[in-house]
Amino acid sequence: MVPNLDLETALQIISSLETQLSELESATKEYENDLEQVISNLKSDLLESQQQNRCNKKQITELEIQVDELENENIQLRNKIETLQLESDRRLERNVLLEHELLDTKDALQRLKVNKEEATSGETRRNNRPLPSQNKKMKLYKDTIKVSTTCSTLYLQNMTKTNNTARNHCNIPNTQITQSTVIATTSSVQ
């Protein structure tokens, strides 16, 4: 049942409802505008996010390529370091060996100098006071054996004519040596 309303009250109610309806419509429009703004912002954020994602994927790919290149370069550098280390070790070993050879050579040279000095001083003593018994032995050997050579053959010939007991220890049969080894050589030292 509808209450009886007078015309004036009904018009007031209608006017009030129309005002509320217009307020609702304006509020709805505001909400729609706000919603459209939010949707627009979300769309632009989504587009930026997708673009950023593509850029990130591209950067990740580039970084992966750089990592692979750096790993390859690292492997090459390690191999080069190992090669250089081996070469360095070989050179160090060679230097140590050369240093030992140098020390051995210096020692040998020092011994040669000492031997030369001893030989020179010994020869000076012999030249200053020759011993008669040594001169006799030298003459004995000189007169006893004749030595001659032809190319690679060495001839030793007994030159003793008498059976003197002093010379018997030097008597040897005529000998031919066709193979020999040099045990020592002499040279003048300056």
Side-chain angles (χ1 to χ4, degrees):
M1 219 162 125
V2 178
N4 274 339
L5 298 172
D6 58 4
L7 185 59
E8 200 175 307
T9 307
L11 285 174
Q12 284 179 347
I13 291 174
I14 290 174
S15 172
S16 168
L17 287 174
E18 284 177 351
T19 306
Q20 286 178 0
L21 183 62
S22 81
E23 287 175 1
L24 279 174
E25 283 179 0
S26 70
T28 302
K29 285 196 181 214
E30 284 181 27
Y31 285 132
E32 282 179 4
N33 287 339
D34 288 346
L35 185 61
E36 285 179 10
Q37 185 67 33
V38 167
I39 290 173
S40 175
N41 289 341
L42 286 174
K43 282 182 180 179
S44 65
D45 287 348
L46 178 64
L47 289 175
E48 284 180 21
S49 174
Q50 288 174 343
Q51 187 175 0
Q52 184 67 37
N53 192 18
R54 281 193 296 273
C55 287
N56 287 343
K57 283 184 180 180
K58 185 177 179 183
Q59 284 180 340
I60 287 172
T61 304
E62 290 173 358
L63 288 173
E64 286 174 346
I65 291 171
Q66 284 181 351
V67 165
D68 288 343
E69 289 174 352
L70 288 173
E71 285 177 352
N72 288 337
E73 187 177 337
N74 191 16
I75 290 171
Q76 290 174 354
L77 288 174
R78 283 184 184 170
N79 289 339
K80 190 173 184 177
I81 287 172
E82 287 177 13
T83 303
L84 290 174
Q85 185 65 41
L86 288 173
E87 182 66 24
S88 173
D89 291 346
R90 278 195 295 266
R91 288 182 181 202
L92 180 63
E93 183 179 337
R94 180 172 168 83
N95 283 347
V96 168
L97 290 174
L98 288 174
E99 284 177 7
H100 283 295
E101 281 186 34
L102 180 63
L103 288 174
D104 291 345
T105 304
K106 285 181 179 179
D107 289 344
L109 183 61
Q110 185 63 31
R111 283 193 302 272
L112 284 174
K113 286 181 181 178
V114 168
N115 289 343
K116 178 184 172 187
E117 289 172 2
E118 288 174 356
T120 304
S121 65
E123 188 175 315
T124 304
R125 275 187 262 132
R126 274 189 300 240
N127 288 340
N128 289 339
R129 35 186 194 107
L131 299 174
S133 62
Q134 284 181 342
N135 285 339
K136 287 180 184 176
K137 285 182 184 176
M138 294 292 281
K139 186 175 183 199
L140 176 68
Y141 292 135
K142 183 178 177 186
D143 292 340
T144 305
I145 300 172
K146 177 181 177 185
V147 179
S148 60
T149 63
T150 59
C151 293
S152 63
T153 305
L154 175 69
Y155 295 99
L156 301 176
Q157 187 175 4
N158 187 358
M159 298 302 291
T160 307
K161 303 275 187 202
T162 64
N163 285 334
N164 187 348
T165 57
R167 293 184 177 190
N168 279 341
H169 70 282
C170 293
N171 285 344
I172 58 173
N174 290 344
T175 306
Q176 175 182 346
I177 301 173
T178 56
Q179 185 177 14
S180 63
T181 303
V182 176
I183 297 174
T185 60
T186 59
S187 63
S188 61
V189 181
Q190 296 179 0

